[in-house]
């Protein structure tokens, strides 16, 4: 595990945590489906870039990776629209449970469909080329991920200060008052969910060429739980919290892999370490490390 | 389609449905009393299954003793979690309570994986032949009989506890109105802890029984959690007897889908079922038409 890896994953997960923070932190919609949107984005980018490089077609003046990224964001957004339209009728804990089921549903479909390669996943994902340079591996990939994370940070800042962000927080803090003042709560929640899912889809398009292969186990419940705990640990409701949570979690899990333990136990040990941290932080600072005094009322 | 094949499927479904019922009872009782979903409940069940593995396979204890040991240990686990995590966090945000449940689940899963590894474990020794009882054309193994009988016994015990004991009355009173129960001098905090412990006890019992039917893995609690939660919603969450019926229904439906459509669709079916149940029957299939809070009403 190198510094390069560490920086890439910090950027990637900061992006994912910020994407979940839009529905969760700003709007108060707790979702465990973020890994499914992320995975759908990754699969879209992987399958589309594979098909395009196999067919040898390119669109003039429009780079392939941009097309894949757009497609990934769109597929994730469409899925979020469909699921949100049905599931947002549920509140609180019931919504959490049904998004958990949706995430596992997507994973089990990805794992059993032959179109997505079943449990083996997609292999040989083409790398991203910009002007003849490979930017999906090594330091260029870190730079690309950092640019994407900074872009997300900027976008979240714009959202926080916009009218849209105001209506998100209004729905979170008191949806009856928000409704009375002209914000239809479920429409606002749906938009937050879709924007968050689209950003998660972009993160998927970033990670697929970096790994070179993907399989359904990358996008299961543990991934959704990881992203959710990042937001909660850092403090839901502000972009800063999501970034802090992602940094702390990734650095913690990397530090376990530097410990002298057998490789077979390293995965479980990392999980245990994370779980212990979660429990300690949630007991000592229930609002997160960078948490503000604002309330999150799902 | 032979009728015996269908009967076999129904019987297998009823057996696994018994386990879902036992775990679903935990969701339902806790929801009835506190009004929150006990997200780490599936992992408590997995922990019980592994305690059973230790006492049956590694220590060679007789089955009733192993059963008691594992159910009591999961009860204590749930009690401890309630005291150290859920009670202090219950006054705060929903998100921190959820994160505490998630942290506990991940902790239990990773401890199981660290100690016993990711590979499948089973209670059965390789050369043990499971006896098969034939009733007409339907084959019943001893394991299935064990599960059915033990669930019936537990159900009977639970009925006695809920309707004829002080604790059962307190549980019902707290679920119907916490403030009124407190005004009457009932120990509300202790009753809530008791609800968690009772749920944990039943989940541990289900874990030991599950070890006789399937293999154990550290991940076994996740799917069980979703299925049992589906069962408890199907029966109307907050109603113990609804959870029992819901568990049996989920078990039979799942076995029928697995046998008639294909095993690959079983998981996807359960997840789809949860969404359909939550959206179409949010108060369960047995809910009275109106005037009910969806909690535990004894009319």
């Amino acid at each position: 595990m190198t510094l390069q890896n560490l920086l890439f994953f910090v950027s990637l997960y900061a992006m994912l945590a910020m994407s979940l923070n839009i529905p969760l932190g700003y709007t108060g919609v707790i979702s465990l489906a973020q890994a499914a949107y992320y995975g759908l984005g990754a699969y879209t980018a992987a399958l589309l870039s594979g098909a395009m490089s196999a067919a040898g077609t390119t669109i003039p003046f429009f780079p392939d990776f941009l097309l894949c990224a757009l497609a990934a964001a769109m597929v994730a957004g469409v899925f979020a629209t469909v699921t949100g339209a049905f599931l947002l009728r549920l509140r609180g804990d019931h919504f959490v449970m049904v998004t958990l089921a949706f995430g596992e549903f997507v994973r089990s479909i990805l794992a059993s469909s032959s179109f997505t390669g079943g449990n083996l996943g997609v292999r040989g994902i083409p790398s991203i080329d910009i002007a003849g340079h490979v930017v999906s591996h090594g330091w260029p990939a870190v730079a690309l991920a950092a640019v994407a994370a900074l872009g997300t940070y900027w976008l979240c800042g714009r959202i926080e200060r916009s009218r849209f962000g105001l209506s998100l927080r209004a729905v979170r803090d008191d949806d009856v008052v928000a409704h009375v003042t002209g914000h239809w709560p479920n429409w606002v929640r749906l938009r937050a969910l879709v924007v968050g899912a689209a950003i998660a889809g972009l993160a998927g398009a970033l990670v697929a060429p970096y790994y070179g292969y993907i399989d359904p186990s990358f996008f299961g419940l543990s991934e959704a739980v990881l992203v959710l705990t990042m937001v909660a640990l850092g403090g839901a409701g502000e972009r800063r919290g999501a970034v802090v949570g992602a940094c702390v979690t990734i650095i913690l899990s990397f530090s376990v892999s530097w410990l002298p333990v057998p490789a077979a136990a390293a995965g479980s040990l990392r999980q245990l370490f994370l779980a212990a941290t979660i429990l300690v932080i949630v007991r000592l600072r229930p609002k997160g490390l960078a948490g503000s005094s604002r309330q999150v009322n799902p | 389609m032979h009728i015996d094949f269908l009967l076999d499927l129904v019987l297998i479904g009823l057996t696994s449905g018994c386990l879902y019922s036992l775990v679903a009872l935990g969701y339902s009782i806790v929801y009835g009393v506190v009004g929150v979903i006990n997200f780490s409940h599936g992992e408590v069940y997995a922990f019980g299954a592994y305690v059973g593995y230790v006492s049956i396979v590694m220590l060679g204890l007789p089955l009733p003793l192993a059963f008691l040991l594992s159910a009591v240990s999961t009860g204590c686990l749930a009690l401890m979690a309630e005291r150290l995590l859920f009670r202090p966090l219950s006054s705060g945000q929903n998100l921190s309570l959820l994160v505490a449940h998630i942290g506990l689940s991940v902790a239990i899963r990773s401890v199981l994986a660290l100690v016993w590894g990711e590979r499948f474990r089973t209670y059965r020794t390789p050369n043990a032949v499971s006896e098969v009882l034939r009733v007409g054309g339907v084959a019943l193994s001893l394991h299935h009989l064990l599960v059915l009988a033990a669930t019936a016994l537990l159900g009977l015990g639970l009925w006695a506890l809920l309707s004829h004991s002080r604790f059962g009355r307190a549980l019902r009173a707290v679920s119907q109105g916490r403030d009124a129960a407190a005004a009457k001098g009932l120990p509300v905090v202790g009753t809530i802890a008791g609800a968690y412990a009772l749920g944990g006890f039943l989940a541990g019992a289900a874990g030991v029984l599950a070890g006789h039917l399937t293999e154990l893995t550290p991940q076994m609690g996740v799917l069980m959690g979703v299925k049992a939660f589906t069962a408890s919603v199907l029966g109307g969450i907050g109603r113990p007897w609804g959870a029992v019926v819901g568990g049996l229904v989920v078990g039979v439906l799942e076995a029928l889908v697995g046998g008639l459509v294909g095993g690959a669709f079983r998981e996807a079916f359960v997840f789809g079922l949860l969404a359909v149940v939550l959206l179409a029957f949010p108060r369960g299939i047995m809910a009275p038409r109106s005037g009910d809070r969806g909690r535990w009403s004894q009319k």
Side-chain angles (χ1 to χ4, degrees), chain A residues 77-120:
Chain A
V78 165
F79 267 85
T81 313
V82 174
T83 53
F86 283 104
L87 304 182
L88 274 173
R89 273 190 265 172
L90 301 166
R91 281 279 80 82
D93 283 355
H94 286 92
F95 184 76
V96 178
M97 206 65 180
V98 83
T99 53
L100 185 157
F102 170 73
E104 287 295 280
F105 177 75
V106 168
R107 190 192 51 75
S108 72
I109 294 292
L110 289 177
S112 55
S113 158
S114 58
F115 177 64
T116 55
N119 270 318
L120 292 176

Side-chain angles (χ1 to χ4, degrees), chain B residues 214-275:
Chain B
T214 57
E215 289 92 3
L216 313 184
T217 70
Q219 317 296 331
M220 67 193 287
V222 178
L223 203 55
M224 176 52 114
V226 174
K227 287 177 185 172
F229 178 73
T230 309
S232 65
V233 176
L234 193 66
I237 190 158
R239 264 174 254 258
W241 307 118
V244 174
V245 175
L248 296 178
V249 170
V250 170
V252 170
L253 283 181
E254 181 202 35
L256 288 176
V257 168
L260 304 179
V261 184
F265 291 94
R266 259 180 35 177
E267 272 190 36
F269 166 74
V270 172
F271 299 130
L273 183 69
L274 173 62

Side-chain angles (χ1 to χ4, degrees), chain A residues 164-230:
Chain A
F164 175 51
L166 211 59
S167 66
L168 297 185
R169 288 196 294 273
V171 167
R172 175 191 71 188
D173 291 339
D174 194 328
D175 62 349
V176 175
V177 173
H179 203 164
V180 169
T181 49
H183 307 271
W184 187 26
N186 271 1
W187 171 234
V188 174
R189 289 189 182 108
L190 181 65
R191 285 195 293 168
L193 200 69
V194 171
V195 172
I199 296 174
L202 279 181
L206 200 67
V207 85
Y210 182 77
Y211 285 142
Y213 72 96
I214 48 174
D215 73 52
S217 69
F218 294 174
F219 309 109
L221 179 62
S222 54
E223 198 72 5
V225 160
L226 186 66
V227 178
L228 180 82
T229 50
M230 283 172 180

Side-chain angles (χ1 to χ4, degrees), chain A residues 24 30 32 86-87 89-90 92-98 100-102 104-105 107-109 112 221-222 225 228-229 231-233 236 265-269 271-276 278-279 282-283 286-287 294-296 298, chain B residues 27 31 35-39 83-85 88-89 92-104 106-111 113-114 118 222-223 225-226 229 233 237 264 267-272 274-275 278-279 282:
Chain A
L24 196 156
I30 303 179
L32 277 173
F86 283 104
L87 304 182
R89 273 190 265 172
L90 301 166
D93 283 355
H94 286 92
F95 184 76
V96 178
M97 206 65 180
V98 83
L100 185 157
F102 170 73
E104 287 295 280
F105 177 75
R107 190 192 51 75
S108 72
I109 294 292
S112 55
L221 179 62
S222 54
V225 160
L228 180 82
T229 50
V231 178
L233 288 192
S268 317
L269 202 62
Q271 294 276 316
L272 183 60
F273 202 46
L274 266 179
I278 292 168
L279 292 179
V282 84
R283 274 295 265 116
K287 282 184 182 140
R294 294 180 195 166
Q295 279 285 316
V296 179
Chain B
Y27 282 111
Y31 189 89
V36 298
I37 296 174
N38 191 1
F39 280 98
R83 183 67 195 83
L84 297 177
L85 284 173
L89 290 172
Q93 313 168 2
N94 251 353
L95 181 61
S96 46
L97 192 61
L98 174 67
V99 170
H101 275 290
I102 285 176
L104 182 67
V106 176
I108 294 177
R109 273 207 298 275
S110 51
V111 165
L114 266 180
E118 293 282 350
V222 178
L223 203 55
V226 174
F229 178 73
V233 176
I237 190 158
E267 272 190 36
F269 166 74
V270 172
F271 299 130
L274 173 62
L278 275 174
L279 290 170

Side-chain angles (χ1 to χ4, degrees), chain A residues 40-57 59 64-72 75 115 122 125-126:
Chain A
L40 285 166
Y43 267 85
T44 306
L47 292 172
L48 185 63
S49 65
M52 279 169 66
S53 74
T57 52
I59 300 166
D64 286 358
F65 81 93
L66 219 54
L67 185 71
C68 291
L70 278 178
V75 167
F115 177 64
V122 184
I125 299 167

